[in-house]
Amino acid sequence: SQQGEEDPQALSIQEGENATMNCSYKTSINNLQWYRQNSGRGLVHLILIRSNEREKHSGRLRVTLDTSKKSSSLLITASRAADTASYFCATGVRGSGTYKYIFGTGTRLKVLA
Amino acid sequence: DGGITQSPKYLFRKEGQNVTLSCEQNLNHDAMYWYRQDPGQGLRLIYYSQIVNDFQKGDIAEGYSVSREKKESFPLTVTSAQKNPTAFYLCASSIASGGAGELFFGEGSRLTVL
């Protein structure tokens, strides 16, 4: 069963505006990652935040993690048309001797020029 | 250049046929994963492997099979038992040993059942 749920499912903003996407998950995690997917392509890693971190920055990206609420948010500041893509959160979950990544349902972001 | 190569990019299958999707990586990663993505949906885990000659079922393994005979290769077979195989299939790899690493993805294989 998919662990992550993201909202909104779709988001349309003007270039220069900020975009915020949220991710909720169900079980304990080791880390949470955000990925980007252009239409019909593979996913590209954006940023990883560990379970003992609360906030992380990378360029125009800001990620927060609240383990008590089992939620994370991705903020893209000063968005550009090239940011148009789908964004997914993924949680790293350790099982009995194994480790896997569970993805959310994604947010489709459209940035209008 | 290091990366993950999936082939074929597009594949058409008649009902009742088995097809095998190739995934090769030259990143020297221990862990490899197969995901299925349906239109407008997230990724669902089919199978994953942490080490050669070992693999585990993911959330939707029924109708699929895999092998991990070499570190670089993790082929996925979509069998005739898979009731609705039309989808976009993504292979990924990561450095294992405790996880907490990023996933590197291939460009995907789009399977269509005629």
Side-chain angles (χ1 to χ4, degrees):
Chain A
S1 60
Q2 271 186 294
Q3 178 162 266
E5 296 292 331
E6 290 164 76
D7 78 272
Q9 288 188 338
L11 180 61
S12 185
I13 60 174
Q14 294 292 326
E15 204 167 30
E17 293 181 338
N18 295 344
T20 300
M21 290 158 261
N22 303 295
C23 167
S24 62
Y25 57 92
K26 297 177 183 174
T27 64
S28 296
I29 62 171
N30 291 81
N31 64 69
L32 187 142
Q33 303 180 38
W34 285 89
Y35 288 81
R36 167 194 169 122
Q37 182 183 34
N38 286 353
S39 182
R41 306 291 298 274
L43 279 72
V44 176
H45 181 262
L46 294 176
I47 193 167
L48 178 153
I49 185 166
R50 303 190 190 285
S51 59
N52 61 355
E53 296 176 312
R54 291 297 168 257
E55 186 171 315
K56 201 162 184 179
H57 297 254
S58 177
R60 293 186 295 114
L61 305 180
R62 173 179 169 252
V63 170
T64 62
L65 179 64
D66 187 337
T67 53
S68 66
K69 295 181 179 178
K70 291 186 167 57
S71 67
S72 173
S73 67
L74 170 68
L75 168 67
I76 303 174
T77 61
S79 63
R80 305 165 182 168
D83 293 329
T84 294
S86 291
Y87 293 82
F88 295 89
C89 68
T91 48
V93 180
R94 176 174 294 284
S96 52
T98 65
Y99 195 90
K100 61 183 181 179
Y101 300 81
I102 303 296
F103 281 79
T105 50
T107 293
R108 294 186 304 280
L109 173 66
K110 187 170 186 177
V111 181
L112 304 170
Chain B
D1 286 0
I4 297 183
T5 301
Q6 289 187 241
S7 63
K9 191 169 178 66
Y10 298 96
L11 185 61
F12 298 90
R13 187 193 98 171
K14 293 182 180 179
E15 285 193 23
Q17 287 182 331
N18 292 356
V19 293
T20 297
L21 308 180
S22 170
C23 179
E24 302 279 331
Q25 55 101 356
N26 60 5
L27 300 167
N28 200 32
H29 285 171
D30 286 314
M32 297 186 75
Y33 307 80
W34 273 106
Y35 289 91
R36 169 183 171 138
Q37 186 177 33
D38 292 287
Q41 302 296 313
L43 279 67
R44 291 185 289 168
L45 183 62
I46 304 173
Y47 269 98
Y48 60 112
S49 168
Q50 310 268 272
I51 197 169
V52 174
N53 292 323
D54 189 38
F55 47 83
Q56 289 76 38
K57 292 182 179 180
D59 297 321
I60 55 165
E62 186 175 350
Y64 300 97
S65 66
V66 293
S67 63
R68 186 85 189 277
E69 296 176 2
K70 298 186 300 182
K71 187 175 185 178
E72 308 79 37
S73 180
F74 191 41
L76 173 74
T77 296
V78 184
T79 76
S80 56
Q82 169 51 234
K83 296 291 184 257
N84 184 20
T86 294
F88 189 51
Y89 291 88
L90 287 158
C91 180
S93 72
S94 71
I95 295 175
S97 63
E102 66 182 269
L103 284 171
F104 290 79
F105 281 86
E107 286 298 303
S109 292
R110 188 169 299 279
L111 172 63
T112 302
V113 173
L114 303 173

